[in-house]
Amino acid sequence: MRRIIPTLVIQGGAGGLIKDKRRRLKIRKKMAGILDRGYKKLLSANAIAAVTWVTRLLENDPEFNAGRGAMLQADGKARLSAAVMDGARSRFAGVINIEGIRNPVLVARSLLEESSRILAGPEARRWAVDAGFETGATRTARSIRLWEKKSSAGSDTVGAVALDAFGQLASATSTGGRGYECPGRVSDSPMPAATYATDYCAISATGHGEEIIEAALAVRIAQRAADMNSLKQAFRKTFSEVSARKGYMGAIGLNRLGHVVIQTTTPSLLYGWQQGKFRKLF
Ligand code: GLY
C-alpha cells in the first residue's frame, strides 16, 4: 500500500510584489516559522485540525490581512471572514463579517459541528462570544495607517490546505477583505469559491473576491480535478479561463496523492509548503 506523506501548504495572500527586499525576507521568515509549527501539528493531528491551527497562526500575525492584521472597511471597522472545509466529510462552515473576535477561523471550525454552519455579522459575534471565543481589538497601527490612506490590500488573505496521514484533506481561508471597501461587503474567503475540499483535493484561494466568486474558482478546480484525475490540469485549464477574463487571483491546491499545485494571475503569491523533509517557500 502507498505510504501517505502528510503535506501542508500555506498562503499569505496574492497581491503586489513586495519590492522592499528586507520586508520580503521578513515575511518569508515569518511564513517559514508558521509552516514549521503547522507541519508539526499536522504530524500529530488530522487535516482539518492542522489547517485551522496554521490559519490561526497567520491570523495572529499582524503582517497578514486576516485576524489581527485585517484591513479596515471604509467606515474604519475590521470585519473578518473565515471558512473551513473538511474534505473527508464534505462539510463546510464559515463566519462572515464578524467584528472584534481574534480568530474567526476558530469560530468557523467550531461551527463545522453545528447544523447552522455559516453565520454572519452581529449574530455571528454573539454566537462566538457565547461559545467563549477570545474577543479584542482587531485594528493595528498599520491597518489604521492604510485606512487613512484609503488603501486597498496588497496581500489579501491567508489560508492553508493539508493532507494528513490518514489520507484526509481539508482547507481553511481567512481574510480582512480588500481594504476600504463598502461597509458590509462580503469576501470570497467564507464561500466555497475560495475554500473547498473533497476526498480528492483541497483548495484555498486569494485575490479579488468578486472575481473569485464569479469564477466559482475553488469549486471549479476541484470538480475538474476529479473529472480529469489531475489537479495540475484542472488548475491550468481554470487559470487559462480566468486569465482570459483578466481575473486577479491565485490559489494553492493539494490532492490525495500529495501533488501540490500553486498558480496565480497576480504578480506574486506568498506561499510555503512542506512534505516530509521537502520544503519550499515563495
Ligand atoms: N480575497 C479577499 C477579498 O477579496 O475580500
Side-chain angles (χ1 to χ4, degrees):
M1 214 171 85
R2 190 181 60 88
R3 191 170 74 85
I4 295 166
I5 306 176
T7 306
L8 177 67
V9 190
I10 62 172
Q11 56 110 342
L17 280 172
I18 306 172
K19 291 201 186 99
D20 178 349
K21 203 174 161 198
R22 278 226 315 253
R23 187 164 142 74
R24 192 176 159 81
L25 283 176
K26 184 177 158 194
I27 292 192
R28 202 166 176 273
K29 204 170 154 195
K30 282 187 174 227
M31 286 190 75
I34 289 171
L35 181 61
D36 221 29
R37 291 173 67 189
Y39 196 71
K40 282 193 186 109
K41 176 79 179 174
L42 178 62
L43 295 181
S44 63
N46 62 13
I48 189 71
V51 293
T52 306
W53 165 260
V54 79
T55 302
R56 172 178 162 265
L57 296 180
L58 289 160
E59 284 178 342
N60 285 345
D61 191 316
E63 286 293 342
F64 300 102
N65 177 14
R68 235 185 112 204
M71 302 285 288
L72 311 179
Q73 295 195 333
D75 59 357
K77 291 188 175 172
R79 294 185 180 85
L80 314 178
S81 296
V84 296
M85 185 153 179
D86 181 356
R89 290 190 284 166
S90 289
R91 214 167 156 110
F92 178 96
V95 279
I96 297 172
N97 285 344
I98 194 168
E99 290 180 46
I101 296 289
R102 294 266 193 206
N103 293 110
V105 74
L106 296 184
V107 184
R109 171 64 189 92
S110 202
L111 284 169
L112 202 59
E113 308 310 324
E114 300 293 325
S115 54
S116 300
R117 290 193 282 281
I118 306 167
L119 296 183
E123 290 78 13
R125 180 185 155 83
R126 198 167 312 129
W127 189 91
V129 170
D130 288 349
F133 287 96
E134 192 185 349
T135 57
T138 43
R139 285 162 36 119
T140 61
R142 183 166 172 267
S143 69
I144 293 169
R145 214 171 40 245
L146 290 169
W147 175 75
E148 282 166 353
K149 287 190 202 156
K150 302 189 178 183
S151 174
S152 279
S155 98
D156 67 351
T157 297
V158 303
V161 291
L163 170 71
D164 64 29
F166 314 103
Q168 297 176 341
L169 292 148
S171 168
T173 315
S174 180
T175 190
R178 273 176 83 162
Y180 217 83
E181 69 261 73
C182 176
R185 170 190 177 260
V186 176
S187 294
D188 54 299
S189 306
M191 299 190 194
T195 307
Y196 203 68
T198 65
D199 61 357
Y200 182 80
C201 67
I203 295 156
S204 168
T206 168
H208 284 178
E210 283 73 2
E211 292 164 13
I212 292 171
I213 294 164
E214 283 152 9
L217 186 70
V219 177
R220 191 162 171 161
I221 294 172
Q223 187 61 52
R224 272 200 174 127
D227 291 348
M228 295 169 138
N229 203 21
S230 165
L231 186 63
K232 196 171 171 184
Q233 281 179 32
F235 260 78
R236 277 215 183 126
K237 173 97 181 118
T238 305
F239 271 89
S240 72
E241 289 165 357
V242 297
S243 297
R245 292 184 55 151
K246 303 209 181 324
Y248 190 87
M249 65 194 77
I252 55 172
L254 171 63
N255 73 5
R256 65 182 172 209
L257 301 173
H259 297 159
V260 174
V261 186
I262 296 163
Q263 201 164 342
T264 191
T265 65
T266 61
S268 69
L269 198 161
L270 309 179
Y271 71 87
W273 62 280
Q274 183 151 358
Q275 183 170 62
K277 290 194 175 11
F278 180 84
R279 143 188 291 231
K280 191 166 161 50
L281 279 151
F282 70 92

